[in-house]
């Protein structure tokens, strides 16, 4: 079978949609810090000089939305008036209201264990063994390029012209028989930048010369500074996929000075493929950011990734897609589905694999929340560079409030619990591996 190409993209923390996601999740985190039982579903819109936060909340905590929003925007790097969107001066409009009692009655029950799903829908988890974190290589590299680009921007030693908004895209050639990566085919990087070359005069010709000089500098820096730094972080088998004939497209439209929310309106939940698996596997359609874990759009997607990752790590299959589906207000999933794409290493059908995994993992909303410790302020960190494939870690987060008894609190939380390989031994035992 002929080799084929597959592509995934990522966007930076400064991309308008990701700015919106981070504001929504920072608001959620602060509510959970002061009231872990908060019910939250908020959406954010960002545009030139303006932020709008709307949605529904049921909580005993009161949060200064403007303070949260300005902190996030400044942390991302929008802290200069010349960007026409900065944390200190942007307008902020709140349209938050109380959660519908009709929705709440389906979630809150007589006992916590009976907690119903916050909505109907189907959620997917996916894992494959082509990278150490069991993520698709195309997406993993796309994220790593932008993480390193942001690190370079914050260091301020080289590529000092960088601004927060950027995008990446990686195309990988796969073997048509084994479906394993063969080589990196194409890398696309678009990054916002200062206008760091001044034209000789006000003519169009002089401006073009200046623009071409900026583009040449950025192209060379991406190829000779950024990519080598990314490559150095990778294991040897992935480094070997890089070669001298990679096709690079750097700022292919030319100058990219106007960017961020000034260049494009951003909305919560518009980068769901970037958030998950880069087009591999599947996505149920529901966004994550701004939603508390009673919303199975978020919590069940994390749980499905947890199942798929542990099953692939245990050796059940080289690749696995897990689907779980719910009815609103009903605790038990209406279905649990597995697809191993013919890569199974056990003498079982995919349905039999699904039955065994379903017996190991309790997929009711209450059990997911407890197993993955989701009623904690852990979500702002998920809102850029992907919710999946990240490194589980324990951190202490600090919160301050002028309200809620004017408390400053430190909370130790576990980030990305759904990425832990804590069920591998249980799965191996269940499958005789």
């Amino acid at each position: 079978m002929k080799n084929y190409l597959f592509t995934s993209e990522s966007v930076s923390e400064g991309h308008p949609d990701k700015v919106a996601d981070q504001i929504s999740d920072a608001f959620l985190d602060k509510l959970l810090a002061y009231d872990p039982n908060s019910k939250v579903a908020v959406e954010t819109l960002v545009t030139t000089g303006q932020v709008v936060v709307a949605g529904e909340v049921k909580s005993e905590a009161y949060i200064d939305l403007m303070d949260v929003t300005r902190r996030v925007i400044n942390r991302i790097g929008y802290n200069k008036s010349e960007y026409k969107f900065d944390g200190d001066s942007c307008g902020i409009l709140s349209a938050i209201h109380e959660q519908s009692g009709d929705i709440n009655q389906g979630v809150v029950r007589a006992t916590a264990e009976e907690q119903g799903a916050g909505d109907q829908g189907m959620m997917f988890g996916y894992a494959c063994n082509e990278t150490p974190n069991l993520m698709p290589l195309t997406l993993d590299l796309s994220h790593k390029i932008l993480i390193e680009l942001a690190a370079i921007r914050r260091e301020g030693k080289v590529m000092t012209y960088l601004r927060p908004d950027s995008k990446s895209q990686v195309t990988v050639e796969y073997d048509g028989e084994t479906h394993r990566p063969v080589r990196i085919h194409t890398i696309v990087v678009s990054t916002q930048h200062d206008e760091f070359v001044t034209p000789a005069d006000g003519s169009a010709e002089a401006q073009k010369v200046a623009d071409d000089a900026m583009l040449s500098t950025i192209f060379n820096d991406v190829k000779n500074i950024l990519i080598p730094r990314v490559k150095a972080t990778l294991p040897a088998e992935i480094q070997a996929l890089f070669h001298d004939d990679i096709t690079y497209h750097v700022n292919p439209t030319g100058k990219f000075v106007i960017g961020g929310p000034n260049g494009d309106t951003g909305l919560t939940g518009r980068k769901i493929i970037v958030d998950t698996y880069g087009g591999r596997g599947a996505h149920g359609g529901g966004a994550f950011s701004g939603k508390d874990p009673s919303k199975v759009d978020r919590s069940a997607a994390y749980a499905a990734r947890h199942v798929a990752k542990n099953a692939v790590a245990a050796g059940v299959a080289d690749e696995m897609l897990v689907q779980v589906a719910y009815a609103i207000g009903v605790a038990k999933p209406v279905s649990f589905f597995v697809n191993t794409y013919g890569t199974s290493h056990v003498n079982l059908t995919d349905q039999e694999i699904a039955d065994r995994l379903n017996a190991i993992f309790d997929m009711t909303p209450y059990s997911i929340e407890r197993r993955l410790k989701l009623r904690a302020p852990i979500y702002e960190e998920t809102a850029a560079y992907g919710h999946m494939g990240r490194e589980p870690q324990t951190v202490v987060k600090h919160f301050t409030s002028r309200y809620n008894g004017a408390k400053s609190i430190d909370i130790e939380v576990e980030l990305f619990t759904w990425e832990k390989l804590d069920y591998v031994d249980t799965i191996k035992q269940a499958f005789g591996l």
Side-chain angles (χ1 to χ4, degrees), residues 388-404:
M388 315 303 178
R390 307 289 291 279
E391 185 69 28
Q393 56 182 301
T394 299
V395 301
V396 176
K397 298 182 71 170
H398 180 70
F399 296 88
T400 60
S401 176
R402 292 181 291 171
Y403 311 99
N404 311 299

Side-chain angles (χ1 to χ4, degrees), residues 1 10 26 33 43 51-52 81 89 117 127 160 173-174 187 203 249 336 339 350 352 366 375 394 426 433:
M1 187 181 295
S10 182
E43 319 287 343
V51 178
V52 179
S81 59
S89 67
T160 55
E173 180 181 334
Y174 285 82
I187 293 175
S203 67
H249 296 290
F336 186 92
N339 185 357
D350 282 356
E352 289 170 332
Y366 172 78
R375 283 260 154 225
T394 299
T426 302
L433 295 168

Side-chain angles (χ1 to χ4, degrees), residues 400-420:
T400 60
S401 176
R402 292 181 291 171
Y403 311 99
N404 311 299
K407 294 188 296 183
S408 293
I409 56 177
D410 292 315
I411 304 176
E412 184 176 273
V413 299
E414 289 188 55
L415 303 178
F416 305 104
T417 54
W418 49 94
E419 294 296 322
K420 293 170 71 173

Side-chain angles (χ1 to χ4, degrees), residues 355-369:
D355 291 341
R356 292 199 188 186
L357 291 174
N358 198 20
I360 295 170
F361 294 89
D362 186 338
M363 299 297 282
T364 60
Y366 172 78
S367 293
I368 290 172
E369 285 189 12

Side-chain angles (χ1 to χ4, degrees), residues 126-144 170 172 174 179-181 184 234-235 237-239 241-242 277 280 305 309 312-313 318-319 388-390 419 421:
Y126 176 82
C128 62
N129 63 4
E130 61 188 49
T131 58
N133 58 2
L134 305 185
M135 289 289 287
L137 177 62
T138 50
L139 181 64
D140 198 44
L141 288 177
S142 295
H143 286 326
K144 282 180 166 57
V170 175
V172 170
Y174 285 82
H179 305 290
R180 305 299 296 178
I184 311 300
L234 302 172
E237 62 270 21
I238 295 179
Q239 289 190 29
L241 302 177
F242 287 77
Y277 308 106
R280 291 278 288 274
R305 162 65 177 173
K309 183 176 183 181
V312 170
D318 293 337
E319 184 178 12
M388 315 303 178
R390 307 289 291 279
E419 294 296 322
L421 294 175

Side-chain angles (χ1 to χ4, degrees), residues 192-311:
Q192 185 188 14
H193 58 88
D194 294 337
E195 192 146 10
F196 59 92
V197 176
T198 303
D201 54 50
S203 67
E205 292 80 5
Q207 184 64 61
K208 185 179 185 308
V209 169
D211 292 349
D212 288 346
M214 287 190 289
L215 182 58
S216 177
T217 297
I218 297 169
F219 182 94
N220 289 326
D221 286 351
V222 165
K223 190 173 179 180
N224 299 317
I225 297 176
L226 172 62
I227 298 303
R229 283 182 52 152
V230 172
K231 185 178 175 182
T233 68
L234 302 172
E237 62 270 21
I238 295 179
Q239 289 190 29
L241 302 177
F242 287 77
H243 54 91
D244 293 337
D245 294 328
I246 294 174
T247 298
Y248 287 93
H249 296 290
V250 178
N251 283 19
T253 62
K255 184 167 67 173
F256 184 8
V257 172
I258 300 172
N262 181 46
D264 188 15
T265 297
L267 293 170
T268 297
R270 279 209 300 204
K271 288 293 178 284
I272 58 177
I273 301 303
V274 170
D275 286 344
T276 52
Y277 308 106
R280 291 278 288 274
H283 194 292
F288 301 154
S289 291
K291 297 177 181 178
D292 78 86
S294 70
K295 313 300 189 294
V296 285
D297 278 345
R298 182 170 219 162
S299 56
Y302 292 164
R305 162 65 177 173
H306 188 224
V307 174
K309 183 176 183 181
N310 276 268

Side-chain angles (χ1 to χ4, degrees), residues 126-175:
Y126 176 82
C128 62
N129 63 4
E130 61 188 49
T131 58
N133 58 2
L134 305 185
M135 289 289 287
L137 177 62
T138 50
L139 181 64
D140 198 44
L141 288 177
S142 295
H143 286 326
K144 282 180 166 57
I145 287 170
L146 294 185
I147 290 169
E148 197 62 40
L149 191 67
I152 291 171
R153 171 170 60 88
R154 288 194 164 91
E155 289 166 7
K157 297 177 181 178
V158 294
M159 302 178 74
T160 55
Y161 48 78
L162 292 172
R163 291 185 177 184
D165 191 2
S166 57
K167 302 176 74 172
S168 66
Q169 186 171 282
V170 175
T171 301
V172 170
E173 180 181 334
Y174 285 82
D175 185 284

